[in-house]
Amino acid sequence: SFPFRSSLFDLMIVPHHDRMGRVGCNSVRTFLAPNRVNEDLLKNSGEMLRKRIAKPLSESKTLSVFIGGKSKGYRFDPKAFQEWLRQLKTQAKELQFDLLITTSRRTTVEASELVKREFASDPVCKLLVIANEANIENVTYGMLALSKAALVTEDSVSMVSEAVSAGKGVLVLKLGNGKLSQKHRRFHEILESNHLIQTADTQNFSPKLASLGGVDNAGFRQRESDRIQEGLRSLL
């Protein structure tokens, strides 16, 4: 189990939120979980997804919403989750945002039903994917390509990492029962201190959403990529 002994590997790529003891010369530290996001993937996925959405979208007025779910002791707080869904619908209408929404494999049936009840027939929602019922290939990347910003529940390191890598404004939503792992908390603190994400709960969601914009993190993304490539080149 983690942390692994670095002497067992030729190269280790380890995000900062995963604590290690002594970091060897064969280790590369990153801020994000490594992911597939790049310009070509976003462009191609966005073009494919746009064909599935009947009505036209304005990228500057479209939000991607990524809803995760349970992991170990963590669960969504039912009252907070339902309150956030209602706030999201209200704010989307007031601010004239279009919503692209997907759940994940970890989203419970109960949470998925709440999402469907609020958004399945609401015109503000241009796309609703319930991952445990039917999925779309590369839907995450397509949604990011077509949106101004991303709302991501706090439980998913990978979804947050992909949204940041796509250069979107990212609002991480604290909707849980307080049993999120320390690793997740460190991840959020590191990214927030580097101005790569914002966090919100039901108390401050509305003003945070109203002020959410894109971020210019191209230099950051390139440095992350360069570090990994340098580590890989050291093996050659």
Side-chain angles (χ1 to χ4, degrees):
S1 62
F2 187 86
F4 308 112
R5 284 170 46 200
S6 61
S7 60
L8 297 177
F9 299 92
D10 296 308
L11 178 66
M12 296 180 69
I13 300 172
V14 186
H16 284 287
H17 61 265
D18 281 321
R19 285 183 173 170
M20 294 181 64
R22 186 177 63 84
V23 178
C25 59
N26 63 336
S27 298
V28 175
R29 304 308 300 269
T30 63
F31 286 97
L32 305 174
N35 59 79
R36 297 173 53 208
V37 171
N38 60 49
E39 295 302 325
D40 288 339
L41 179 61
L42 291 173
K43 179 182 178 182
N44 294 335
S45 300
E47 290 174 352
M48 293 298 294
L49 187 61
R50 193 183 293 275
K51 295 175 182 177
R52 300 183 66 118
I53 300 173
K55 295 183 179 180
L57 296 171
S58 169
E59 184 176 332
S60 65
K61 299 293 287 185
T62 300
L63 295 177
S64 288
V65 183
F66 300 98
I67 300 171
K70 63 181 182 180
S71 58
K72 296 184 179 179
Y74 178 84
R75 301 287 187 276
F76 290 146
D77 177 275
K79 290 183 179 179
F81 185 68
Q82 191 164 24
E83 171 62 20
W84 168 68
L85 291 178
R86 291 171 178 167
Q87 287 186 24
L88 174 60
K89 179 189 289 190
T90 298
Q91 287 296 298
K93 290 177 178 178
E94 289 183 358
L95 300 172
Q96 298 184 319
F97 280 126
D98 292 329
L99 301 179
L100 309 176
I101 303 174
T102 184
T103 62
S104 80
R105 298 289 186 187
R106 294 182 295 103
T107 310
T108 64
V109 172
E110 293 77 13
S112 296
E113 288 300 319
L114 286 173
V115 174
K116 286 193 288 185
R117 189 184 309 161
E118 293 291 340
F119 291 104
S121 59
D122 196 299
V124 76
C125 181
K126 307 303 183 185
L127 175 74
L128 176 59
V129 177
I130 304 298
N132 285 315
E133 297 178 3
N135 220 327
I136 299 174
E137 184 179 4
N138 288 342
V139 67
T140 295
Y141 311 119
M143 288 169 58
L144 289 171
L146 298 178
S147 61
K148 163 193 176 182
L151 313 182
V152 189
T153 57
E154 63 185 336
D155 53 282
S156 182
V157 168
S158 61
M159 289 193 293
V160 171
S161 294
E162 289 171 340
V164 173
S165 294
K168 305 300 176 178
V170 180
L171 188 58
V172 175
L173 305 159
K174 298 182 177 182
L175 305 172
N177 58 0
K179 296 184 179 180
L180 196 68
S181 73
Q182 287 299 316
K183 178 178 75 171
H184 282 75
R185 296 179 194 278
R186 286 195 299 271
F187 176 64
H188 299 151
E189 289 168 0
I190 290 168
L191 296 191
E192 193 161 27
S193 66
N194 282 275
H195 309 291
L196 296 169
I197 66 168
Q198 297 183 59
T199 60
D201 56 24
T202 55
Q203 299 301 310
N204 61 4
F205 171 70
S206 295
K208 286 288 187 77
L209 178 60
S211 64
L212 186 64
V215 292
D216 183 10
N217 65 3
F220 165 82
R221 287 182 289 152
Q222 188 61 50
R223 290 192 296 274
E224 288 271 283
S225 178
D226 289 345
R227 279 194 291 268
I228 294 173
Q229 291 184 54
E230 287 172 12
L232 292 170
R233 279 194 294 269
S234 70
L235 300 179
L236 302 179

